Amino acid sequence: HRRMYMSALEGALARHSVDFASSGNHPLVIGRDALAVIDKALEDPDPTVVVFAVSLMEQLPLEDAAPRATGLLSHEVPEVRAESALVLGRMEHEGDDFAGLALTERFALEESPLALAALLTAASTVPGVDYARVESFLSHDNAAVRRACLVAMGQLGPDISGQLTELLTSDSSADRAVAAGAVGDLGIEELTSQVAVLVKDLKARPAALDALAQLGRPAVTAMSALLNRRELPLPTRRTVVTTLSTMDGPEARDALLDLVDEPALGPAALTSLRRMRMAGQIGAIKPEQLRPI
């Protein structure tokens, strides 16, 4: 029954889908039948069906989608509330603060860290959200909520580089990890070197490496410097090699090529280069660069 119902739900909306990536498409026009299918799914007892239906609302016109999504911010299931907030954040509200007021109101009631992080993520793009309410979550005890708060503050308010720098140099690994994640999300290139330093912190390392990967080309120089630091544990340096393979562009390729003749890092560098080549991230490497190895 569930499989057939989900198939019917997808089929009812598939003919209305629009690929906005190509030119010449017309705006989405949703019929009453399709809206009825969505509304039925939004009342389904299975939260998975509700979350799926909420995700489809992103394709609806704002006047149809926004009231439904804001109404679901009080749904009993946190995952539904979180998806509703994220969908609201991806809509074009064009200055209408209806959704922003709904998000601000929900901040005072929400207890789920999952939903709070989603509310804060949406707050960074939805007009009409109270900045003071967003900032109040900076001291929340959940790391994901604090990170989402910092990102929202960075996108909504004044420059927060000072606050991020203070957190990056904190005595708490948790604070450093949160700040590193926010730097990556916000793309603050001037803090790249400070994030790179955190690779030495075992607890903050995953967030720091993810942030460096998000920063992309500007982070390659800092990561290459880490590879040359012999005092760092070999597994840490190999992790940096793997992170470099996630970056596009000649800078990451050249940094890996510089390592291929090192006994400790060469095999990892060659493996990363092969992955990049197979993924189409880089072009062919000249045979004379590899033949001596």
Side-chain angles (χ1 to χ4, degrees):
H1 166 75
R2 182 61 56 199
R3 180 180 58 80
M4 294 175 64
Y5 184 76
M6 295 291 284
S7 177
L9 180 60
E10 289 179 310
L13 294 168
R15 65 180 182 275
H16 298 286
S17 298
V18 176
D19 179 12
F20 291 105
S22 58
S23 60
N25 286 315
H26 299 285
L28 181 63
V29 178
I30 206 78
R32 290 169 55 189
D33 292 343
L35 273 177
V37 173
I38 289 180
D39 287 335
K40 183 178 180 181
L42 294 177
E43 297 175 359
D44 195 273
D46 186 343
T48 303
V49 175
V50 181
V51 169
F52 177 68
V54 171
S55 69
L56 291 173
M57 290 197 301
E58 190 178 347
Q59 300 186 60
L60 302 182
L62 182 65
E63 60 270 20
D64 291 320
R68 289 170 169 81
T70 53
L72 289 167
L73 292 177
S74 57
H75 194 277
E76 61 181 4
V77 178
E79 287 80 3
V80 174
R81 301 197 297 271
E83 184 66 21
S84 300
L86 293 174
V87 167
L88 278 171
R90 292 193 290 265
M91 294 178 185
E92 296 289 339
H93 296 276
E94 299 176 353
D96 185 357
D97 60 0
F98 170 74
L101 294 174
L103 290 175
T104 301
E105 182 180 347
R106 186 64 202 173
F107 278 137
L109 305 171
E110 189 57 67
E111 297 180 353
S112 164
L114 172 71
L116 268 177
L119 287 168
L120 289 164
T121 299
S124 63
T125 57
V126 173
V129 176
D130 184 353
Y131 181 84
R133 290 294 300 156
V134 171
E135 191 176 19
S136 68
F137 291 100
L138 195 55
S139 58
H140 197 275
D141 57 2
N142 182 271
V145 172
R146 295 202 305 276
R147 175 172 171 172
C149 174
L150 282 167
V151 174
M153 289 170 58
Q155 293 176 331
L156 287 173
D159 181 40
I160 63 166
S161 295
Q163 289 172 285
L164 289 171
T165 298
E166 183 178 345
L167 289 170
L168 288 170
T169 56
S170 166
D171 293 333
S172 166
S173 294
D175 286 345
R176 293 196 288 267
V178 165
V183 169
D185 293 337
L186 291 168
I188 305 178
E189 298 177 6
E190 56 265 31
L191 295 179
T192 298
S193 59
Q194 296 182 50
V195 171
V197 171
L198 300 185
V199 174
K200 296 184 296 182
D201 184 337
L202 183 62
K203 294 181 179 179
R205 183 182 302 156
L209 289 172
D210 285 345
L212 292 170
Q214 285 179 281
L215 290 168
R217 291 184 176 184
V220 172
T221 301
M223 296 180 75
S224 296
L226 288 172
L227 292 171
N228 293 326
R229 295 182 59 177
R230 306 289 180 176
E231 73 275 14
L232 288 177
L234 185 58
T236 299
R237 297 166 68 206
R238 285 177 177 159
T239 302
V240 174
V241 169
T242 302
T243 303
L244 277 170
S245 70
T246 66
M247 300 179 178
D248 294 328
E251 295 87 354
R253 177 203 62 199
D254 293 343
L256 291 171
L257 277 173
D258 289 341
L259 300 172
V260 295
D261 59 350
E262 289 195 19
L265 297 177
L270 284 167
T271 299
S272 293
L273 286 166
R274 178 174 176 273
R275 288 173 180 166
M276 295 172 74
R277 175 64 175 146
M278 293 179 67
Q281 293 173 253
I282 60 174
I285 298 172
K286 294 180 179 179
E288 53 267 27
Q289 290 181 280
L290 298 177
R291 190 173 289 117
I293 309 301

